[in-house]
Amino acid sequence: MFKHILVPLDGSGLSLKAGRRAIDLAKREKSRLSAMMACPTYQHLADKGYPPPVLKANRKGWENDMAERARGILEQFAAEAEQSGVTCATVVVVDDPPHHAIVETARENDCDLIVMGSHGHGGVKQFILGSQTSGVLSHSKIPVLVYR
Amino acid sequence: MFNHVLVPVDGSDLSMSAARHGIELAKLCGAKLTSMMVSPTYRRHFEEGFVAPTVHVIRERWEEEVTGRAQAVLDKICVEAGRAGVQCNSVHVFGDAPYQAIIDTAQNKACDVVVMGSHGYGGMKQFILGSETARVLSHSKIPVVVYR
C-alpha cells in the first residue's frame, strides 16, 4: 500500500513516537523509510530573535552544528529502523519553512506517505495542531498520518 | 498495527476515495472497519434555509430520507470492504458538529485510527484543510490519516 514513507523528525518525543510507528508500518508494508530533519536557517531564527547576538558572527558554524545534531538524531533513528529490518535513508535539509522542506523532500524522493506528530517542540500540548504539521497537511499531495 | 479503522465520509468523491484507502489499510492490518456519516440536524437545515418553509415535510419523514441516503453511501463502503474481506459496520448520526460526532464515535467504538479526506464537499480544492478535518486533527486522541 505504501512503498516509501517519509518521517520528518524534530527530535521531540512525539516526533520520535510517530517515527517508531512509521517503522512498524514500514515493516508490515515492506516499505522503505526516509527520516528527515528540516533545520531552520540561521537567518530565520535570527529574525525571530533566537540566537544570541554573539553567535551572529558564526553563521556557517551554527548551521553546521545544527546539521550535525540533526544527523545524530537521524542516525540513531535509522539504526532503530535497521534493527527492525527496515531500510532507512536520512536527509538533512536547512531551509525555511520546515513544512515546505518536508513537502519538497517527499516529492523529490517519490514518497507516498508522510508520518508525523501533531506538533513538534513548539506546540501547545493539547487541542492545537502544530504549525508545521498544519503546513504539511495543507500543501502535501500525498497522504499524511498524524500521531498525537 | 491498527485494530479498528474509522472512515468518516460525507459522500464527496474525496471522502469515498479516502474510505477506499481506509479499507486497504484495514485489510493490511487485519483490522475491522467502521464507516460513518454525520448529517446536519433538521433544525440546522431549516435555519440555513435549505428546507423551504412551505414544504410540508414533517421532520421524521425528512430524517428518514436523509438516513436512507446516508445509508446508501455507507452500504457502498461496506460492500467494498466485504469484497476486500474486511469486516465492516456503519454508523449514521445527526449532529451539527461533525468533528465531535466523529471523535465520539471513535471513542465509543474503540477505534485506533481515523482515515479521512483533507476536505469534504465544503472545502476549497487546494491548499486548504477542510474545517471538519482540521477540527478532528486538533481534538482527536488517536492518529488520523489525511488523504487529498
Side-chain angles (χ1 to χ4, degrees), chain A residues 1-2 21-22 24-26 28-29 113 118 126-129 134 136-148, chain B residues 1-2 21-22 24-25 28-30 113 118 126-129 134 136-148:
Chain A
M1 186 172 172
F2 302 114
R21 297 297 165 77
D24 288 347
L25 188 63
R28 191 179 279 269
E29 304 245 336
L113 177 72
S118 58
Q126 273 184 319
F127 300 131
I128 305 264
L129 199 60
S134 168
V136 170
L137 281 162
S138 299
H139 296 278
S140 169
K141 299 239 179 327
I142 60 171
V144 184
L145 170 51
V146 180
Y147 277 94
R148 61 164 59 236
Chain B
M1 176 165 179
F2 298 119
H21 289 292
E24 254 182 274
L25 184 66
L28 183 87
C29 297
V113 65
S118 58
Q126 274 185 315
F127 301 130
I128 306 263
L129 199 60
V136 169
L137 279 162
S138 299
H139 295 270
S140 168
K141 297 224 174 355
I142 59 172
V144 183
V145 190
V146 180
Y147 277 91
R148 67 162 59 231

Side-chain angles (χ1 to χ4, degrees), chain A residues 37 64 66-76 90 92:
Chain A
M37 203 145 166
N64 284 343
M66 190 90 180
E68 200 52 50
R69 210 148 31 118
R71 260 190 290 278
I73 292 170
L74 291 175
E75 264 155 33
Q76 205 181 334
T90 60
V92 177

Side-chain angles (χ1 to χ4, degrees), chain A residues 60-97:
Chain A
K60 204 74 222 151
W62 183 86
E63 284 184 356
N64 284 343
D65 282 359
M66 190 90 180
E68 200 52 50
R69 210 148 31 118
R71 260 190 290 278
I73 292 170
L74 291 175
E75 264 155 33
Q76 205 181 334
F77 178 80
E80 232 176 280
E82 305 283 348
Q83 259 172 24
S84 306
V86 174
T87 316
C88 182
T90 60
V91 185
V92 177
V93 187
V94 180
D95 197 9
D96 294 314

Side-chain angles (χ1 to χ4, degrees), chain B residues 19-137:
Chain B
R20 259 167 240 129
H21 289 292
I23 294 172
E24 254 182 274
L25 184 66
K27 187 181 177 185
L28 183 87
C29 297
K32 55 182 178 161
L33 189 89
T34 294
S35 63
M36 78 171 292
M37 193 154 167
V38 187
S39 304
T41 57
Y42 183 74
R43 191 191 154 88
R44 165 82 173 270
H45 238 62
F46 194 84
E47 280 168 357
E48 290 196 349
F50 285 122
V51 183
T54 50
V55 180
H56 303 288
V57 191
I58 52 167
R59 186 189 164 126
E60 285 77 15
R61 164 94 182 280
W62 180 85
E63 284 184 351
E64 231 168 72
E65 275 180 29
V66 171
T67 306
R69 256 184 315 212
Q71 208 54 55
V73 172
L74 295 173
D75 286 349
K76 226 192 299 181
I77 296 172
C78 279
V79 167
E80 278 189 47
R83 236 181 267 145
V86 172
Q87 188 196 331
C88 177
N89 287 307
S90 61
V91 178
H92 176 244
V93 285
F94 283 96
D96 290 330
Y99 79 93
Q100 193 60 56
I102 292 168
I103 284 164
D104 290 347
T105 304
Q107 201 160 24
N108 294 341
K109 303 263 171 190
C111 300
D112 48 13
V113 65
V114 180
V115 179
M116 66 192 298
S118 58
H119 56 267
Y121 276 122
M124 282 174 71
K125 275 273 149 62
Q126 274 185 315
F127 301 130
I128 306 263
L129 199 60
S131 56
E132 297 309 324
T133 307
R135 286 182 191 131
V136 169
L137 279 162

